[in-house]
Amino acid sequence: MQNTSQHVVIIGAGHGGGNMAALLRQYGHTGPITLVGEESVPPYQRPPLSKAWLKEQLEMEDLFLKSEKFYSDNQITLRLNSKVTEIMHEQKAIRLAHDEVLTYEHLIIATGARARMLQIPGHELDGILYLRDVGHAHRLKQALASARRIGIIGGGYVGLEVAASARALGVEVTVIERESRLLARVASREIAGFYKELHEKQGVEFHFDKEITAFDGKAGKVSGVVLADATVVDCDLLLVGIGAIPNDDLARAAGIKCQNGVLVDLDGRTSVPDVFAIGDVTMRPLPFYDRLCRLESIPNAMEQAKRAAGAISGRPAPADELPWFWSDQYDVKLQIAGMPFDVDQVVMRGSLESGRCTVFHLCGDRIRAAEVLNSPSDFLAAKKLIAAGSVIKVSQLSDPGIPVMSAIA
């Protein structure tokens, strides 16, 4: 067993950091735990920020992972509104603003990722927003209350979820995407096509294959997006959603190995003893795919928090978990199991027109990933088959009348 009386410091009070603190207590760690976060609120859920929060279906307290009383009851010190300026791993200490120093026995880097900025002429205009935290979400919700048309740059999941929320609020929506289709890096053409039609039926307009050269403004506020062909797309509010950059600056400055994020092993260990990293900031191994990847998802942050907390507490490592993701738009739930690496064929089960189907991605006779629309049973079955590496009767996958689990060869 590990020494459970040692001080654990967690940098980053987001989903990963908040759960890490709670799991350490659950796993029997009795030593001090300090959770350091730059925001003014305790750890909260981020997925609702683009959906229920914008539609005013949740209060701030509904987003909290735990009540504030939980932290005091469990002797977890919350240091909110606190910025870490340096990791001094040789001294096993971190430096906060105003030169305060905290020492640790174990350090967890859970600093997440920040929005990729679009630095073009006009970027300083009011009404140009990003969405990474509750402060961003609060400003966006306030702006949507009086907006006529929102422009959204980037046809990824966050942009599309905001588009769906904006339409529910009666705001007109235009999405501008530099690629030739939606979800170009994260979904199949079949699923992308489905979402394009779904949003168009709700009145969303799209511009594909478009480069943006500037933002137009009137009286200091954004009024349009200027495209490379000189077209101006009208809007009185703009959301930029063009990806995220891992917040690995502290780790890099401390000499911790990074590669588009902090490099970690399966338990979240970094290249420096007693320093772990979890969540969006990490570049981690993918056991089922024999490669490294940076995953931006709540399930990934939770898995890494469990493994790191277990390693610190001396618990046996849990079974490897398959990556999975989800997105809610209008009345459609998309669930994705696995990742489509090394795929040589795609099999469709059900129909896109019905809004209930599964797109299987296979390598030979094994499923590598599945994109599932409104079919929880297919999603759960696909997760099991991918994780088990089961050999599949491929011809049976396309028949909705045959349960997915029955397709095992």
Side-chain angles (χ1 to χ4, degrees), residues 75-93:
Q75 297 180 314
I76 297 169
T77 302
L78 270 179
R79 296 289 302 269
L80 303 177
N81 296 306
S82 298
K83 181 177 178 62
V84 177
T85 59
E86 185 180 5
I87 296 171
M88 302 173 288
H89 61 81
E90 292 183 356
Q91 293 83 19
K92 302 193 81 167

Side-chain angles (χ1 to χ4, degrees), residues 162-330:
V162 171
S165 297
R167 290 302 298 134
L169 295 169
V171 179
E172 296 178 18
V173 179
T174 300
V175 176
I176 304 167
E177 171 57 55
R178 71 176 183 179
E179 303 293 338
S180 60
R181 67 175 179 89
L182 297 174
L183 305 168
R185 295 181 296 106
V186 292
S188 65
R189 289 189 174 277
E190 292 83 357
I191 293 298
F194 168 83
Y195 274 113
K196 178 176 179 290
E197 290 189 15
L198 176 67
H199 280 274
E200 285 178 334
K201 287 177 182 177
Q202 298 293 330
V204 177
E205 297 179 7
F206 291 100
H207 295 268
F208 294 103
D209 290 309
K210 299 299 183 183
E211 290 291 333
I212 298 167
T213 58
F215 300 130
D216 261 357
K218 295 178 181 177
K221 189 176 188 300
V222 69
S223 62
V225 180
V226 183
L227 306 182
D229 62 4
T231 300
V232 178
V233 178
D234 176 51
C235 66
D236 56 358
L237 177 62
L238 186 64
L239 177 73
V240 180
I242 55 173
I245 300 170
N247 290 321
D248 59 6
D249 310 74
L250 282 171
R252 288 181 181 275
I256 298 169
K257 288 184 180 178
C258 295
Q259 178 186 314
N260 184 32
V262 183
L263 282 168
V264 297
D265 68 9
L266 279 174
D267 289 330
R269 293 183 181 88
T270 71
S271 61
V272 170
D274 299 319
V275 177
F276 294 72
I278 62 173
D280 292 5
V281 74
T282 64
M283 176 69 80
R284 55 156 294 175
L286 291 185
F288 299 95
Y289 300 96
D290 191 28
R291 68 192 68 207
L292 295 171
C293 193
R294 192 171 72 83
L295 302 178
E296 294 180 25
S297 75
I298 297 303
N300 173 66
M302 284 296 300
E303 179 199 1
Q304 288 186 298
K306 289 176 186 175
R307 294 194 71 124
I312 291 171
S313 304
R315 292 168 63 100
D320 296 330
E321 294 185 24
L322 187 75
W324 64 277
F325 314 85
W326 85 92
S327 178
D328 293 316
Q329 299 170 44
Y330 305 111

Side-chain angles (χ1 to χ4, degrees), residues 146-168:
S146 59
R148 177 183 59 83
R149 176 182 292 273
I150 181 173
I152 297 176
I153 299 176
Y157 288 122
V158 170
L160 293 180
E161 288 169 1
V162 171
S165 297
R167 290 302 298 134

